[in-house]
Amino acid sequence: MRVLLESAIRKCDGFYIKTDDVSSILDWQMQQNQAEVAFSPARVLLQDFTGIPAMVDLAAMRDALAKQGVDPNLVNPRCHTDLIVDHSLQIDYSKCAIQSPPTPTDESHGAAVRSPAGRPSPRGSSSGGHCAGQRPGHRGGCSKASCSDAPSGRSAAVQIENTPLLCPFHLQPVSEPETMIRNQEMELIRNKERLQFFKWCSKAFKNINVVPPDINTVHQVNLEYLCQVVQEGEGFIYPDSVVGTDSHTTMINGLGILGWGKHDVSYLCYIFALFCLVYLTLSLSCSLSGVGGIESEAVMLGQPVSLTLPQVVGCKLVGTINPLATSIDIVLGITKHLRQAGIGGKFVEFFGPGVQQLSAPDRTTIANMCPEYNATVSFFPVDDITLQHFKHTICSEEKLVVLEDYLKAIKLFKSYGDQSEDPQYSEVIEMNLSSIVPHVSGPKRPQDRVAVTCMKEDFINCLNEKVGFKGFHVSKEKQATQVPFLHEGAEYNLAHGSVVIAAVISCTNNCNPSVMLAAGLLAKKAVEAGLTVKPYIRTSLVPGSGTVTHYLNTTGVLPYLRKLGFEVVGYGCATCVGNTAPLPESVVDAIKQGDLVACGVLSGNRHLEGRLCDCVRANYLASPPLVVAYAIAGTVSINLETEPLGVNSEGKDVYLRDIWPSKEEVNHTEENIVIASMFKELRSRMEKGSTFWNRIESAESALFPWDPKSTYIRCPAFFSKLSKEVCAPQSIEGAYPLLFLGDKVTTDHISPAGSIARVSAAARYLQSKRLTPREFNSYGARRGNDAVMTRGTFASIKLQNRLIGKTGPKTLHIPSGQTLDVFEAAERYQRDGVPLIILAGKEYGSGSSRDWAAKGPYLMGVRAVIAESFEKIHRNHLVGMGIAPLQFLPGQNADSLELCGKERFTINIPQELMPRQQLTVQTSTGKSFSVMALFENDMDVAFFRHGGILKYVARSLLL
């Protein structure tokens, strides 16, 4: 509340921010959940997945204005914006065998051998030949063992040197693993068009900082480089704050910096990076309802974000942390506890003596998960531990003095052991840290936690339960099914619970040395005990930050992780978003043959069914050391407390307790590695940029030179037929339902994500452009092409459409009676000039915030969605795209109204449309019913009248 108050006082101008805003924040306990207040964040954070459509829209807006005779240079970010290119990563190669990094006594003194491509290459690697699956002309080579892509096999065994801990002040250069080099080079080649576009953005737009590729993923850049804690400018010193399009932006709250992420604001940055970013002199105002969503596109001209003054829940931490519990266990414990407490849309602030046991990385890990329990932020005020972290990472001694003095002066500094400093909260929830034991989460939702000791019993129960969030409904007689298969000449068996994907990835863990080091130390002890991981398991290590690779290497544990198959494949979101390499065909065949519930285990925070891989139905979130442990066990149907992970070369059982590193061992290693020299090296790397990026050429023009042949960057159709005049709202006449959906349709069902299926409409489009399946890339990589993204909308294999009665990305084209891909049906309707609607149940649009969950339906011709209820953020997105969110009246739904979904619908929209007005819907069968138009305020109505926020802003510029 002090951060909001400071911003309101500093920015108070009587127009955008009024004295009433200041008064409401001062009286927040009486005004919470009632008053609308204004907040001006210090900066905006964009990542490549969501940043590219934002910047493409800005470029398209420049084109639209230029055609109307308006200077395109008017369209610029006004609030400082950071765009991080290196966020997403498609895994092409895994398990490239390389030798261990040089020891301090090595004659090379750690100097990295350079490949012909100019990239660091491990010693002993060949400079010629191609990796498996390598494109012709791809420079560089792999080591003597092959570098594999899908289907992948285990590389030849390599000797592991017992690399000692290097002196922290004389860190040797780290040779990048061959696998990572291969994946990075493929990313740079595949994404050259996108990189050229980003390079043009860095030169064409003012007030935007583009962080080059091959550096770090977005949340790591934010934590390690961009965060300022205290900002200076315009004659003021003030708290740092940020809004971003990445859901992990909330990690920054662990360092005492107020920040919203994609789940909460999604487009809160998209306007502070799309329209709030538009540098203009117009005097437009808007009033946003709540926090987050595409409605934030209305925050233009530097106007502050308007949000309902939230409640602040104090989460008091007491007790002592269990030695076996990691930050992930604490995160999942807090996630379940706060989700059950019902704190959706509230601010959470941690206090109490237990906070002193959490390191700064622990706090950012916990803060990262707040979207999973629907909080806006989870905030840790700065204390002595945070200051020590800043001293070792981002702050000079001089800056640290200013920071500490300022925070103490305005009472933003906290002594957690002093109860007299505990603030007053809307409510207090207490949590005893000593009650937390190691858990995993799954098999389908992050809030479904399972104690490790109960994992086997819980998985069997899941097999027995009917299909649902915790059930697969496998008959008793089939639960013992085992399917033999061959892999690399050896025979293996798969059963229910077999692990086929094990990924130590970015997200909640890459910023936390303790859990990553624990995984490495466990791997070291496992290898020394003679344990292995079965070669068919798709293992990967995607740290998300060069810092992690640095300390894993310098502690000597990276070779042991590699020995178990956990090779560094690159930096960015990979397995979490479905970018894992395909499983070996023999494994897929075995799963299908036995109809097995195969499992994935990952250390992230996203694991919805089918997201990792179509044939992997059970997915569990676990801490990095537990991911390694389950990979060694090869199954989740095991009690890690009483059953051995495996046997050593002497035939002796090896249990988890035999190889689990002690907390003291982890802390000692962490203290000797996470130091300022690492962050300084990465800071230097950030500022210099990569050679590839520096050599990229881009146009020197105010308008982007669109390439009609490009399949990555395309001028979107949002501004077609743009005119200065605004037509009155038009009724929707004779619309057909494109889809008839049930309850809890998530944005994962709606928005394109992950790999592009070979039989999809998007695949056929790319094939028409003469691309092979290997060149499809992912939906995330092609977010700058509206033709691909529209075809990928509603392409989820888990979509349940009542018009066809089965699961899949299909629908019924009602006039012809044909079952078609959703896009193809929409295309036919549009060709015939027929408007479309969607019928849905409760909680339509829940899940992660995604702009294409609204953009895609808009480009398909959807004019309205009639549902029992909407997730608030998605409702805002629909309004922002000019789609009417219409809600059945209480007690009514499609079933109670006896709608079959094949009727034609006419929705009567008055020319003088009002917020929350009831509208009449008539069907071709003679039925009539009323719906509530969920336009919350006059600005929502204005967006709808203009055909969406994009046209609203563009027309404003034409005045």
Side-chain angles (χ1 to χ4, degrees):
M1 284 302 162
R2 289 182 177 274
V3 177
L4 296 180
L5 177 62
E6 188 281 337
S7 173
I9 294 173
R10 175 167 43 89
K11 292 287 189 177
C12 186
D13 59 1
F15 181 68
Y16 288 124
I17 301 180
K18 302 178 181 180
T19 55
D20 287 346
D21 293 315
V22 177
S23 298
S24 294
I25 299 173
L26 283 170
D27 193 27
W28 74 273
Q29 288 184 311
M30 297 299 296
Q31 297 295 329
Q32 55 190 331
N33 285 341
Q34 298 180 36
E36 293 284 321
V37 298
F39 174 57
S40 294
R43 55 191 175 91
V44 172
L45 187 68
L46 301 175
Q47 44 101 322
D48 61 347
F49 265 25
T50 50
I52 195 166
M55 302 314 296
V56 165
D57 289 349
L58 276 176
M61 185 182 293
R62 281 192 166 194
D63 277 14
L65 293 180
K67 292 176 181 177
Q68 298 286 344
V70 177
D71 183 4
N73 288 301
L74 289 175
V75 182
N76 282 298
R78 188 173 185 181
C79 178
H80 177 77
T81 303
D82 295 295
L83 171 59
I84 289 77
V85 175
D86 210 2
H87 174 69
S88 58
L89 173 70
Q90 175 70 41
I91 302 175
D92 292 281
Y93 302 104
S94 64
K95 302 169 186 170
C96 297
I98 66 171
Q99 296 184 18
S100 301
T103 66
T105 57
D106 194 274
E107 291 182 358
S108 67
H109 298 288
V113 179
R114 295 281 167 177
S115 69
R119 302 292 297 279
S121 177
R123 293 177 300 152
S125 66
S126 170
S127 61
H130 297 299
C131 297
Q134 181 177 316
R135 292 183 182 179
H138 187 62
R139 295 191 297 170
C142 283
S143 54
K144 294 179 181 179
S146 66
C147 177
S148 61
D149 63 357
S152 161
R154 180 77 63 196
S155 58
V158 295
Q159 182 178 359
I160 295 181
E161 302 173 10
N162 187 17
T163 308
L165 176 68
L166 301 180
C167 174
F169 296 103
H170 299 85
L171 295 175
Q172 305 296 317
V174 180
S175 296
E176 293 178 335
E178 189 73 14
T179 300
M180 189 180 78
I181 294 173
R182 292 286 155 255
N183 280 301
Q184 286 179 337
E185 289 182 349
M186 285 294 290
E187 283 288 294
L188 295 175
I189 292 171
R190 173 168 47 223
N191 296 320
K192 185 177 180 180
E193 290 180 42
R194 292 197 306 146
L195 295 177
Q196 287 175 328
F197 175 73
F198 283 135
K199 191 67 173 284
W200 172 81
C201 290
S202 69
K203 296 189 294 184
F205 292 104
K206 298 177 182 178
N207 206 22
I208 186 167
N209 170 44
V210 178
V211 177
D214 199 13
I215 302 294
N216 275 354
T217 193
V218 57
H219 34 293
Q220 288 305 114
V221 175
N222 195 25
L223 287 171
E224 298 171 5
Y225 181 71
L226 300 176
C227 69
Q228 297 296 310
V229 191
V230 173
Q231 295 271 9
E232 297 184 42
E234 301 178 355
F236 289 98
I237 297 176
Y238 55 94
D240 188 15
S241 56
V242 61
V243 292
T245 55
D246 183 71
S247 59
H248 304 293
T249 306
T250 51
M251 295 178 85
I252 205 69
N253 291 279
L255 300 181
I257 299 170
L258 187 62
W260 281 264
K262 178 180 175 183
H263 183 87
D264 321 286
V265 283
S266 77
Y267 257 66
L268 194 83
C269 80
Y270 187 61
I271 225 350
F272 265 85
L274 182 58
F275 300 126
C276 153
L277 309 180
V278 177
Y279 183 79
L280 299 167
T281 57
L282 300 176
S283 296
L284 301 175
S285 64
C286 68
S287 174
L288 302 183
S289 57
V291 179
I294 208 170
E295 83 275 18
S296 57
E297 294 189 20
V299 188
M300 39 190 188
L301 318 174
Q303 182 179 333
V305 179
S306 181
L307 66 149
T308 303
L309 198 62
Q311 292 180 283
V312 182
V313 177
C315 184
K316 186 175 184 179
L317 301 183
V318 298
T320 304
I321 298 175
N322 185 311
L324 292 181
T326 68
S327 62
I328 303 304
D329 298 313
I330 299 171
V331 165
L332 296 178
I334 291 174
T335 296
K336 184 174 183 179
H337 196 68
L338 293 182
R339 182 181 283 271
Q340 292 175 342
I343 46 77
K346 300 177 183 178
F347 283 20
V348 174
E349 183 168 309
F350 290 88
F351 74 109
V355 178
Q356 298 175 99
Q357 301 174 62
L358 303 176
S359 66
D362 286 336
R363 298 174 192 186
T364 58
T365 304
I366 294 168
N368 177 73
M369 286 290 279
C370 74
E372 304 305 326
Y373 44 83
N374 295 324
T376 302
V377 297
S378 290
F379 191 79
F380 287 84
V382 174
D383 69 342
D384 288 326
I385 292 176
T386 322
L387 290 180
Q388 280 297 109
H389 176 77
F390 292 148
K391 181 178 180 180
H392 290 161
T393 55
I394 64 172
C395 286
S396 64
E397 290 289 347
E398 295 78 10
K399 175 71 179 287
L400 202 63
V401 171
V402 174
L403 186 155
E404 184 175 0
D405 289 346
Y406 172 74
L407 293 178
K408 287 182 176 179
I410 63 170
K411 298 185 179 180
L412 281 176
F413 188 87
K414 176 72 176 170
S415 297
Y416 288 102
D418 187 351
Q419 293 188 15
S420 66
E421 292 189 12
D422 292 349
Q424 292 183 340
Y425 296 103
S426 304
E427 62 178 300
V428 173
I429 298 173
E430 185 171 299
M431 185 165 192
N432 193 326
L433 297 177
S434 61
S435 66
I436 297 176
V437 295
H439 280 78
V440 297
S441 178
K444 301 179 183 181
R445 302 188 303 175
Q447 65 264 38
D448 296 325
R449 300 174 65 231
V450 185
V452 171
T453 54
C454 301
M455 181 63 172
K456 183 175 183 178
E457 178 185 356
D458 186 81
F459 181 75
I460 293 174
N461 289 338
C462 289
L463 295 180
N464 291 326
E465 289 293 327
K466 64 181 182 179
V467 175
F469 292 127
K470 288 281 290 182
F472 298 101
H473 199 246
V474 177
S475 61
K476 292 282 187 181
E477 59 272 15
K478 292 184 178 181
Q479 290 182 14
T481 300
Q482 292 198 5
V483 180
F485 69 99
L486 292 176
H487 180 76
E488 296 182 345
E491 183 173 310
Y492 301 92
N493 288 303
L494 283 185
H496 293 292
S498 291
V499 174
V500 293
I501 296 176
V504 177
I505 59 177
S506 56
C507 295
T508 59
N509 310 310
N510 52 35
C511 69
N512 196 319
S514 63
V515 289
M516 297 298 286
L517 287 173
L521 292 170
L522 185 143
K524 180 176 183 293
K525 292 186 176 186
V527 171
E528 291 172 345
L531 299 179
T532 61
V533 173
K534 293 180 176 62
Y536 59 80
I537 297 177
R538 180 68 69 194
T539 51
S540 60
L541 172 59
V542 188
S545 169
T547 302
V548 181
T549 305
H550 226 333
Y551 64 65
L552 290 178
N553 185 79
T554 53
T555 52
V557 299
L558 193 58
Y560 295 95
L561 285 164
R562 186 183 306 126
K563 176 70 173 177
L564 295 180
F566 292 94
E567 180 98 52
V568 176
V569 298
Y571 304 121
C573 284
T575 305
C576 254
V577 294
N579 282 356
T580 189
L583 297 175
E585 290 185 9
S586 57
V587 172
V588 175
D589 291 342
I591 293 173
K592 292 180 178 179
Q593 179 183 337
D595 194 22
L596 300 176
V597 180
C599 298
V601 186
L602 64 154
S603 59
N605 67 348
R606 293 287 194 276
H607 68 325
L608 299 176
E609 183 181 9
R611 191 171 193 175
L612 305 191
C613 182
D614 293 352
C615 60
V616 179
R617 286 190 275 169
N619 298 298
Y620 289 90
L621 304 181
S623 65
L626 283 178
V627 171
V628 178
Y630 278 112
I632 294 170
T635 181
V636 300
S637 186
I638 181 175
N639 187 324
L640 293 178
E641 188 177 58
T642 60
E643 296 181 61
L645 292 176
V647 295
N648 60 18
S649 56
E650 300 174 355
K652 182 180 178 181
D653 289 340
V654 180
Y655 292 83
L656 178 63
R657 59 179 175 269
D658 298 328
I659 61 173
W660 189 271
S662 68
K663 191 173 183 62
E664 292 74 22
E665 185 180 4
V666 173
N667 287 343
H668 174 76
T669 307
E670 181 179 3
E671 287 297 322
N672 286 276
I673 297 301
V674 184
I675 54 169
S677 58
M678 288 184 172
F679 287 88
K680 288 180 180 178
E681 190 273 335
L682 287 173
R683 197 175 190 88
S684 174
R685 184 180 178 188
M686 185 92 64
E687 293 168 352
K688 291 179 181 178
S690 65
T691 302
F692 184 93
W693 173 259
N694 293 334
R695 289 177 179 174
I696 289 177
E697 296 181 357
S698 61
E700 303 280 348
S701 60
L703 300 178
F704 182 70
W706 307 99
D707 181 359
K709 297 180 181 179
S710 174
T711 56
Y712 281 100
I713 306 296
R714 176 178 137 123
C715 188
F718 300 129
F719 301 100
S720 61
K721 300 180 181 179
L722 179 68
S723 62
K724 292 183 180 181
E725 297 75 23
V726 183
C727 297
Q730 300 293 313
S731 295
I732 302 172
E733 303 280 352
Y736 272 119
L738 178 63
L739 296 161
F740 188 7
L741 306 172
D743 296 339
K744 296 182 179 179
V745 173
T746 71
T747 51
D748 270 3
H749 294 113
I750 307 170
S751 181
S755 59
I756 299 174
R758 297 188 180 192
V759 295
S760 65
R764 287 190 288 276
Y765 168 80
L766 293 174
Q767 287 171 334
S768 73
K769 301 296 181 181
R770 298 186 178 180
L771 296 183
T772 65
R774 185 172 180 80
E775 298 170 309
F776 285 174
N777 211 327
S778 64
Y779 282 113
R782 297 190 182 274
R783 286 182 70 122
N785 186 318
D786 63 315
V788 173
M789 297 300 287
T790 306
R791 286 165 171 81
T793 303
F794 293 113
S796 169
I797 60 170
K798 298 300 179 182
L799 185 69
Q800 294 184 335
N801 180 10
R802 294 173 63 177
L803 288 178
I804 60 172
K806 59 182 180 180
T807 300
K810 302 284 185 179
T811 195
L812 178 69
H813 180 252
I814 298 171
S816 67
Q818 290 181 291
T819 298
L820 305 172
D821 284 338
V822 177
F823 171 80
E824 292 178 347
E827 191 176 39
R828 281 200 192 182
Y829 283 123
Q830 284 187 297
R831 190 166 57 238
D832 295 336
V834 178
L836 297 171
I837 64 169
I838 291 172
L839 297 175
K842 299 183 181 72
E843 298 180 39
Y844 179 78
S846 58
S848 298
S849 168
R850 296 188 177 179
D851 56 321
W852 273 99
K855 286 182 174 180
Y858 169 80
L859 292 176
M860 282 181 164
V862 174
R863 297 281 306 281
V865 178
I866 305 177
E868 289 185 67
S869 64
F870 292 83
E871 200 280 336
K872 181 180 179 181
I873 295 175
H874 187 62
R875 183 212 70 86
N876 294 334
H877 286 190
L878 293 175
V879 173
M881 291 310 302
I883 298 175
L886 307 178
Q887 185 171 358
F888 288 110
L889 296 184
Q892 293 184 350
N893 56 34
D895 291 332
S896 68
L897 294 170
E898 297 182 347
L899 302 177
C900 69
K902 297 180 182 179
E903 305 93 338
R904 300 193 74 165
F905 293 77
T906 294
I907 303 170
N908 299 309
I909 301 177
Q911 293 190 0
E912 299 299 326
L913 182 64
M914 302 292 290
R916 300 193 67 83
Q917 184 172 352
Q918 285 195 16
L919 306 179
T920 300
V921 181
Q922 296 173 314
T923 71
S924 56
T925 59
K927 293 179 181 177
S928 178
F929 60 94
S930 296
V931 294
M932 178 73 71
L934 296 184
F935 302 115
E936 299 296 335
N937 48 51
D938 292 337
M939 188 54 64
D940 281 355
V941 174
F943 289 162
F944 180 72
R945 290 180 66 247
H946 280 263
I949 190 172
L950 293 168
K951 291 183 178 179
Y952 175 88
V953 173
R955 286 196 179 97
S956 300
L957 302 178
L958 295 176
L959 297 178

